[in-house]
Structure formats: structure tokens, C-alpha cells
Amino acid sequence: MPNSLRTVCVYCASSERTPAIYHEAAARLGRHLAGEGFGIVYGGGASGSMGRMACAALEAGGKVTGVLPRFIDELELGYISLTERHLVDNMHQRKLLMLELSDAVVALPGGCGTFEELLEAITWKRLGLFLGPIAIVNVNGFYDPLADLLGRAIHEHFMDEKHGAMWSMVAEPEEVADALRAAPPWSAAARAFAVPR
Ligand code: AMP
């Protein structure tokens, strides 16, 4: 693993109402990342998969940093005592800071917030703005349709075939550390093939 891989940004759901399998997977991911010695950066929320992931990581001795826009902080009902908390002005600053603080990205199943965060990270990597590994945890086959959609985007040349190396998909949270370590290197030279010609 590159020595620079120390902090992982986790995108996951805020919903309390998803099937239990997703909350359990979030807790497993938190424990796994903490056990592997990774620091975690996430959206800072206490609800849903976010809260389960953060609490499990903290209980396992991990370091967890939350990044929240002030308006979400005011909406939050629960509160977790995190290692570190950053309050920012808006969603754009939040996503920027989350990536700036992180060496890698992991997405669990989620809603539109998780989708846009994950797809932004992939887009930034395509443009050579974020260079770290990206792992998608395909709990319960949740991300099968996204895998199909990204595959189709490549097949129909909306993206280059090389772009398929930007992310990896794993079935279980415990496979994440190995997937991050095994990710092919990526550099700002990716800008040269960002646009299929
Ligand atoms: P979603 O998957 O739509 O529930 O959105 C979750 C993602 O969006 C997380 O990774 C967070 O970064 C962000 N997010 C959405 N809602 C909240 C919230 N109530 N508190 C903190 N972060 C949130």
C-alpha cells in the first residue's frame, strides 16, 4: 500500500429507515477501517449508516473526522463526539474539504447524497484532481445498476476504457482495505485522456 494511504473518506446514507443489512455493513466498515489503522473522514452525521459507521470506528479506537455545513449541523438531531469536527459554509466547501483531508474514497449504499459524492470523486479523478483509490461496497448487490450504467458509459464511449480503472467494487466491507491497497496508480496525466476522442 502506498504509505500515503492513511485517511479514507466514507460516503454513506443518512437514512434511519433502510433495511438493517445496510446499517450492519456500515458498522462493519467502521470497525474494519479502524482496525486497519485508517483515519476516517465522513459527513459528520449521527443518523443512519453514517452514525453506525462512525460509532463503530470510534469504539474500535479509530480516528473519525466529521465535515458538516453549518445548516446541516443545525438540522441534526443526534450528536456523536467525534475526534475532530469541521464546520463549513456550504455543501461545495464540505465536499472539497472531505476530499482534501482524504487519501482514498469508499462509498456504501446510500441515497442521492451518497451518489453525488461518489460520482463527484470519480469525476475529479477522471480530471486528475483527486488521485486516490475509490472503492464501492456493493452490499446486497445495491450498486449492480451503477456498475451497469458506468459500464455502458464506457462501452458507448462517454468515458474511456481506462476510466474503468478509477474505481473497484467489493461485496463486503472487510474487503475494502485490500481493494484500496490494490488500486492501480493514478496521476494527473489522466487529464490527457479525460475526453474520449
Ligand atoms: P444520502 O445518501 O442521500 O443519505 O446522503 C448522505 C451523504 O450526504 C453523506 O455521505 C453526507 O456527506 C451527506 N449528508 C446527507 N444528509 C446528511 C446529514 N443529515 N448529516 C450529515 N451529512 C449528510
Side-chain angles (χ1 to χ4, degrees), residues 11-14 43 45 50 72 76 94 98 110-114 117:
Y11 302 134
C12 61
S14 57
M50 300 175 79
I72 289 191
E76 282 287 334
R94 167 209 239 168
M98 287 171 82
C112 57
T114 301
E117 290 170 331

Side-chain angles (χ1 to χ4, degrees), residues 23-35 40 42 48-64 80 82:
H23 288 162
E24 284 157 17
R28 283 165 57 197
L29 179 68
R31 270 193 296 278
H32 168 68
L33 292 176
I40 295 170
Y42 84 117
S49 296
M50 300 175 79
R52 307 307 195 282
M53 189 279 303
C55 287
L58 289 164
E59 275 166 30
K63 181 178 169 227
V64 183
I80 302 172
L82 300 171

Side-chain angles (χ1 to χ4, degrees), residues 9-149:
C9 179
V10 177
Y11 302 134
C12 61
S14 57
S15 172
E16 281 294 336
R17 294 183 53 202
T18 64
I21 187 174
Y22 299 113
H23 288 162
E24 284 157 17
R28 283 165 57 197
L29 179 68
R31 270 193 296 278
H32 168 68
L33 292 176
E36 293 281 339
F38 291 109
I40 295 170
V41 171
Y42 84 117
S47 65
S49 296
M50 300 175 79
R52 307 307 195 282
M53 189 279 303
C55 287
L58 289 164
E59 275 166 30
K63 181 178 169 227
V64 183
T65 299
V67 183
L68 289 110
R70 284 180 185 84
F71 83 93
I72 289 191
D73 190 41
E74 283 155 20
L75 284 181
E76 282 287 334
L77 301 174
Y79 181 81
I80 302 172
S81 179
L82 300 171
T83 317
E84 216 177 335
R85 248 164 140 257
H86 296 276
L87 291 181
V88 296
D89 286 336
N90 57 53
M91 297 293 275
H92 289 100
Q93 283 182 9
R94 167 209 239 168
K95 285 188 294 170
L96 177 63
L97 184 59
M98 287 171 82
L99 282 185
E100 280 177 351
L101 293 172
S102 305
D103 308 308
V105 160
V106 176
L108 283 165
C112 57
T114 301
F115 299 157
E116 70 116 4
E117 290 170 331
L118 169 62
L119 288 171
E120 180 169 280
I122 291 174
T123 304
W124 283 33
K125 189 162 174 176
R126 175 176 176 174
L127 295 171
L129 301 171
F130 173 76
L131 306 177
I134 298 174
I136 300 170
V137 192
N138 192 18
V139 181
N140 203 24
F142 181 84
Y143 278 117
D144 287 348
L146 180 65
D148 288 348
L149 188 60

